[in-house]
Amino acid sequence: HVTSFFAPSGRQGTPEELKMMIDTAHSMGIIVLMDMVHAHASSNILDGIAQMDGTQHCYMHGGSKGHHAEWDSSIFDYLKYEVLRFLLSNVRWWIEEYGFDGYRFDGITSMLYRSHGIGKGFSGGYNDYFGPDADTDSHIYLMLANDLIHTILPSAISIGEDVSGMPTLCRPVEEGGFGFDYRLAMAIPDMFIKLLKNCSDDHWNVEDIVHTLTNRRWKEKVVAYTESHDQAIVGDKTLAFWLMDAEMYNGMSLINRPSASHQVERGLSLHKMVRLLVLGLGGEAYLNFMGNEFGHPEWIDFPREGNNWSYHHCRRRFDLPDDENLRYKFFEAFDELMQACENRFQWLSSDHQYVTLKHNHDKVVAFERGDLLFVFNFHPHAGFGDYQIGMSWNEPMRC
């Protein structure tokens, strides 16, 4: 929960050190986005802006309307001019003062609906989105924010974290859209974790997987990813740990285990296949989340009462793929090749996407993306020779 909207955390160093980091990233061709939290604010009245004038109505709604029950935080009143001036100046501040290249707007599903999306299902029909539950005050704020971002920095990137699939979220403001460049495809990591929790990999339904990967609105770009903070931070297992479990503690060593166990070998293979499948079919951008690129084995857990204020899991082991004696290097090497392949063929920016085959019995998925044909065999033991797959190109293929 945010208490100070205009000051960086001390974890990023001094303000000047943060600016230096961003400048250094720019010199290396790296775009830097900030996680922008305007969906709510901390209810801490001592350190934050809640009840800044002694009442509940300064920047927030009063009463139950101004309290987010699941987050225990305060909700902005986006109809007030001073709230708009405060938040829009905040948007401008980080771009102009620190040089950020854009934002990932956190938790905007909560902003889009008066119910905050709590307990609400979304079928994709327009009546789910534009009925009386629609919070038009926050809709207008998001349109203003994105219009401002792209006015002061036309090259800026704006990403909305929305699980509902709100129509026009990623269409320009001048078309009546919200103005975001991308939406986070949150259903994809949720799907894979549900599969790993509830179903052995030899029973995966590839038709359902393909549906989730392609279930996005036409001409509205999304960021695809295989796991997120829901798996990597709040005490759950990472994707790699779900695949290999306790075998990761000893089985990743090339010294202690020169020959990988069946569980580690299969986990390595499936982890690679899942990442390439998501990069190939999941969206128009791809996100590696905090060590996913090398199969980080454990979650992140910040010091809290529930873990006796331990710092043991309050870190990421970015040294693991650098150790030549550990199998994590194979995860990262594959990720580098996968990204290099996309850089060469640039299928993420291609409009051509066609799923040729999703055969649930054979566990085979085939699709065209850009100038490439992708073929995946998820069957646990069967290989196929002379497998016939239709394609739109009447020319020889290179493997």
Side-chain angles (χ1 to χ4, degrees), residues 1 12 28 36 42 96 132 145 276 288 302 355 389:
H1 296 176
Q12 278 77 50
M28 301 169 67
M36 178 64 79
S42 173
E96 293 189 340
L276 182 57
N288 267 325
F302 295 102
V355 178
I389 297 172

Side-chain angles (χ1 to χ4, degrees), residues 367-382:
F367 59 89
E368 300 171 10
R369 188 74 191 272
D371 296 327
L372 301 183
L373 174 68
F374 292 81
V375 183
F376 292 83
N377 177 14
F378 282 96
H379 202 286
H381 53 78

Side-chain angles (χ1 to χ4, degrees), residues 5-288:
F5 286 81
F6 286 87
S9 166
R11 290 186 291 272
Q12 278 77 50
T14 66
E16 293 305 316
E17 288 172 334
L18 176 58
K19 293 176 184 178
M20 184 182 299
M21 186 200 77
I22 295 171
D23 288 343
T24 302
H26 288 165
S27 72
M28 301 169 67
I30 299 173
I31 291 173
V32 184
L33 305 182
M34 178 179 175
D35 197 21
M36 178 64 79
V37 183
H38 282 181
H40 60 135
S42 173
S43 297
N44 185 338
I45 62 175
L46 298 178
D47 299 326
I49 62 173
Q51 300 188 30
M52 199 168 185
D53 64 348
T55 74
Q56 295 182 346
H57 301 275
C58 183
Y59 289 103
M60 314 298 171
H61 288 290
S64 59
K65 188 177 182 179
H67 181 256
H68 197 296
E70 290 199 347
W71 296 344
D72 189 25
S73 55
S74 297
I75 306 298
F76 287 106
D77 185 348
Y78 301 100
L79 196 60
K80 293 179 178 177
Y81 282 112
E82 288 305 317
V83 172
L84 295 177
R85 292 172 64 174
F86 177 83
L87 295 177
L88 291 174
S89 63
N90 189 232
V91 167
R92 184 166 191 160
W93 167 260
W94 292 104
I95 290 176
E96 293 189 340
E97 182 67 23
Y98 284 85
F100 280 97
D101 300 293
Y103 301 106
R104 174 258 196 196
F105 278 80
D106 178 76
I108 66 166
T109 303
S110 174
M111 300 174 67
L112 297 174
Y113 310 99
R114 298 182 189 278
S115 65
H116 307 302
I118 298 173
K120 185 172 182 177
F122 297 93
S123 65
Y126 289 132
N127 59 304
D128 291 338
Y129 304 97
F130 298 118
D133 192 34
D135 192 335
T136 53
D137 296 342
S138 63
H139 292 192
I140 293 170
Y141 165 68
L142 290 172
M143 294 170 74
L144 289 170
N146 280 311
D147 185 63
L148 175 64
I149 290 169
H150 293 103
T151 298
I152 61 177
L153 185 63
S155 62
I157 297 174
S158 177
I159 303 171
E161 187 200 25
D162 170 43
V163 71
S164 73
M166 167 63 81
T168 75
L169 189 79
C170 300
R171 297 307 301 168
V173 173
E174 53 266 29
E175 292 183 5
F178 288 80
F180 286 99
D181 298 297
Y182 297 90
R183 176 179 64 84
L184 283 177
M186 301 172 69
I188 295 175
D190 288 347
M191 171 194 66
F192 280 114
I193 291 303
K194 287 176 183 176
L195 283 173
L196 291 166
K197 283 183 176 181
N198 302 316
C199 180
S200 60
D201 56 75
D202 53 330
H203 289 100
W204 284 3
N205 188 316
V206 297
E207 293 180 359
D208 289 346
I209 292 173
V210 169
H211 171 75
T212 301
L213 290 170
T214 57
N215 186 23
R216 54 188 183 273
R217 297 189 182 277
W218 178 245
K219 294 295 185 180
E220 296 199 43
K221 297 184 290 186
V222 304
V223 179
Y225 52 118
T226 60
E227 63 182 319
S228 70
H229 59 280
D230 288 333
Q231 295 84 40
I233 288 183
V234 292
D236 204 333
K237 296 179 182 179
T238 63
L239 188 66
F241 208 94
W242 274 110
L243 288 167
M244 292 174 277
D245 207 57
E247 273 290 296
M248 294 197 78
Y249 289 120
N250 296 309
M252 299 301 284
S253 172
L254 290 166
I255 297 177
N256 297 335
R257 301 278 184 87
S259 298
S261 67
H262 175 75
Q263 189 168 1
V264 168
E265 193 69 42
R266 183 153 178 77
L268 279 163
S269 299
L270 268 175
H271 199 281
K272 294 175 183 178
M273 291 177 70
V274 165
R275 282 184 287 157
L276 182 57
L277 180 66
V278 172
L279 177 61
L281 194 59
E284 290 72 32
Y286 180 77
L287 170 67
N288 267 325

Side-chain angles (χ1 to χ4, degrees), residues 373-398:
L373 174 68
F374 292 81
V375 183
F376 292 83
N377 177 14
F378 282 96
H379 202 286
H381 53 78
F384 303 100
D386 299 323
Y387 202 91
Q388 293 188 347
I389 297 172
M391 63 180 185
S392 62
W393 304 292
N394 185 23
E395 57 185 88
M397 299 294 290
R398 281 190 309 166

